[in-house]
Amino acid sequence: MMKDSIVHFFVLSGEHEQMAEVEVEELLILYNNRPKKISKKNRILIIETKDDIESAMIERLSLTKYVGKIVEIEDVDKYEKIIEKSKSIELQCETFAVRCHKIKNEKEVPIDKINREIGTILGKKKLVDLDNPETEIIVLISDRIYLGISKTKTGYVKCLKHHVNYRPEFYPISLNPRMARAMINVAGIKNNEIMLDPFCGTGGILIEGADMDLNIIGQDIDSKMVEASLKNLKYFGFEGRIIEGDISEIDKIEKIDVVVTDPPYGQSSSLKGEMRDELMKRTMKSIKKKLEVGKRLVIVVPEKDMISEDGFEIKYQFPWYSHKNLTRNVLVLEKVT
Ligand SMILES: C[S@@+](CC[C@H](N)C(=O)[O-])C[C@H]1O[C@@H](n2cnc3c(N)ncnc32)[C@H](O)[C@@H]1O
């Protein structure tokens, strides 16, 4: 253990465990938390950091369900020790709730008893509020029992407010908000930097970027899509610059730090009469010209071979199952030359 370190738990979503873990690591690095992985079992990732994690970082996470600081970890049959340990918790708030989550637990434990007894112990100091507590006492029951304190909610549930079903301009193949948000988070973009989506469609990626307070620019060849993106962004209270133009015209944009995009593959989204391979070739050429060395392109493609990696290094590759006819591949490419 590092001296004066803080140990945190991250409960990863089963939707894409590998990408969820990378999202946590990449954001911790971006926020200068110098993470050190301690363990990962049953989607519970334990990480040590030197400093506290900013709530802005936690709110960005899209593939992590809960995050908090670890108070104690015990063997499952020693749950009484967890109850005892809860007496040492000093709550820096007025209201709290105890939440127990079973995650692939093998042994049965009396969840109601743990919940009730910790609630009674802490209820002597602060008020219980089950609907909107300031702090959650989290008990994870899995290979072991983890007792933790959580003050900030991740973006896991919140980003679903932007789901296609709730947008005024609807495009059936628009990415799931969790996927769009995670793509941005593995792009290594800092708050004062600029993200471009050159095939923005109805703005699914841009909405998540704006929700995370990033500077966003969208571009699309189709004027109707430009209007749709603007309308969707405005509906959720965001602003952004959206330009009408072909991919080759990103050259005219003054500065771009990262590109996060979902280009058309001709299955459901229009290629505007162009052959897919030709469009991909032009796309990679235009983006390579525009990005600085060390900066990233995160792109979704049905097959990895569709793009030329010339000048880029593949940092990560995440296959993402959408339905039986479509598994998308999220490629994270870093410009090297
Ligand atoms: C898969 S859709 C993007 C979906 C988007 N992620 C969303 O949330 O709605 C691809 C978009 O690329 C646009 N497009 C097609 N050819 C283009 C080109 N040559 N340059 C720029 N945009 C193009 C289409 O108009 C379409 O809106």
Side-chain angles (χ1 to χ4, degrees):
M1 291 256 274
M2 290 189 259
K3 194 169 170 279
D4 302 326
S5 63
I6 305 168
V7 183
H8 312 265
F9 66 88
F10 296 80
V11 179
L12 307 180
S13 147
E15 270 155 296
H16 205 304
E17 197 175 319
Q18 183 205 3
M19 192 167 178
E21 186 174 345
V22 171
E23 186 191 35
V24 170
E25 280 167 6
E26 286 285 337
L27 283 181
L28 285 173
I29 292 167
L30 199 68
Y31 280 76
N32 288 323
N33 282 108
R34 287 179 283 160
K36 188 173 157 224
K37 179 173 167 180
I38 307 289
S39 62
K40 192 182 86 171
K41 185 94 197 275
N42 296 350
R43 301 203 316 268
I44 301 172
L45 176 65
I46 304 293
I47 287 190
E48 195 178 73
T49 65
K50 197 97 182 80
D51 305 302
D52 237 333
I53 302 176
E54 276 180 51
S55 42
M57 179 276 177
I58 293 174
E59 284 162 6
R60 279 182 70 165
L61 289 166
S62 70
L63 296 176
T64 295
K65 292 184 175 181
Y66 331 102
V67 178
K69 285 186 201 167
I70 287 283
V71 177
E72 188 78 322
I73 304 177
E74 272 297 345
D75 291 338
V76 175
D77 38 19
K78 296 197 182 125
Y79 63 86
E80 294 281 4
K81 284 196 173 174
I82 290 287
I83 298 173
E84 187 59 27
K85 188 70 189 179
S86 71
K87 290 181 182 163
S88 71
I89 295 176
E90 290 300 335
L91 289 169
Q92 314 288 337
C93 62
E94 291 312 311
T95 58
F96 77 98
V98 182
R99 315 267 196 223
C100 292
H101 303 282
K102 285 186 185 180
I103 305 171
K104 295 190 188 170
N105 62 307
E106 284 144 25
K107 290 186 196 162
E108 276 310 310
V109 285
I111 288 205
D112 289 345
K113 177 180 157 77
I114 297 172
N115 213 328
R116 196 177 52 245
E117 293 196 11
I118 297 180
T120 307
I121 289 165
L122 295 174
K124 288 180 185 148
K125 304 180 196 172
K126 301 287 170 171
L127 284 177
V128 175
D129 179 349
L130 294 179
D131 299 323
N132 199 15
E134 286 168 70
T135 299
E136 290 183 333
I137 304 301
I138 306 243
V139 184
L140 305 173
I141 299 158
S142 189
D143 58 316
R144 305 191 77 197
I145 298 197
Y146 304 76
L147 173 66
I149 302 181
S150 173
K151 289 190 182 149
T152 310
K153 287 202 161 53
T154 67
Y156 183 73
V157 172
K158 186 186 162 214
C159 74
L160 293 188
K161 282 197 294 193
H162 312 140
H163 195 274
V164 276
N165 297 344
Y166 309 126
R167 296 179 201 162
E169 290 297 327
F170 174 80
Y171 196 28
I173 58 148
S174 185
L175 301 178
N176 171 308
R178 283 186 188 145
M179 185 178 178
R181 202 173 176 99
M183 283 171 62
I184 300 170
N185 287 336
V186 295
I189 178 165
K190 302 189 184 87
N191 278 68
N192 51 354
E193 292 184 324
I194 301 167
M195 176 190 92
L196 169 75
D197 178 357
F199 299 101
C200 69
T202 52
I205 295 172
L206 300 176
I207 292 168
E208 294 315 311
D211 189 53
M212 294 190 279
D213 258 342
L214 305 175
N215 297 316
I216 53 160
I217 303 180
Q219 186 173 293
D220 201 289
I221 199 165
D222 188 337
S223 62
K224 284 199 208 78
M225 291 297 171
V226 172
E227 286 306 313
S229 269
L230 284 168
K231 197 165 165 187
N232 280 341
L233 280 168
K234 192 165 170 216
Y235 179 78
F236 293 112
F238 303 129
E239 284 178 0
R241 183 174 153 206
I242 318 285
I243 308 159
E244 184 182 331
D246 174 69
I247 180 68
S248 58
E249 293 173 72
I250 64 168
D251 213 21
K252 296 183 198 153
I253 303 169
E254 316 75 62
K255 189 177 185 308
I256 298 164
D257 293 297
V258 303
V259 175
V260 181
T261 197
D262 171 28
Y265 347 109
Q267 259 182 338
S268 313
S269 58
S270 169
L271 290 158
K272 303 288 164 198
E274 193 172 0
M275 295 303 287
R276 189 178 80 175
D277 291 352
E278 189 49 39
L279 176 63
M280 282 301 120
K281 220 185 262 173
R282 293 198 304 115
T283 299
M284 293 308 288
K285 200 169 150 209
S286 301
I287 295 173
K288 187 183 164 194
K289 200 164 149 204
K290 201 67 199 167
L291 282 188
E292 283 175 21
V293 169
K295 298 291 184 186
R296 292 182 183 175
L297 157 67
V298 182
I299 188 165
V300 190
V301 282
E303 296 133 39
K304 178 180 159 282
D305 301 343
M306 271 174 63
I307 60 158
S308 139
E309 297 144 30
D310 181 35
F312 289 93
E313 176 194 292
I314 300 192
K315 292 282 295 176
Y316 310 105
Q317 186 180 336
F318 307 110
W320 189 301
Y321 175 85
S322 295
H323 53 76
K324 70 175 174 15
N325 295 327
L326 180 64
T327 294
R328 290 162 154 134
N329 285 288
V330 177
L331 301 182
V332 183
L333 304 164
E334 195 162 287
K335 190 172 158 186
V336 284
T337 56

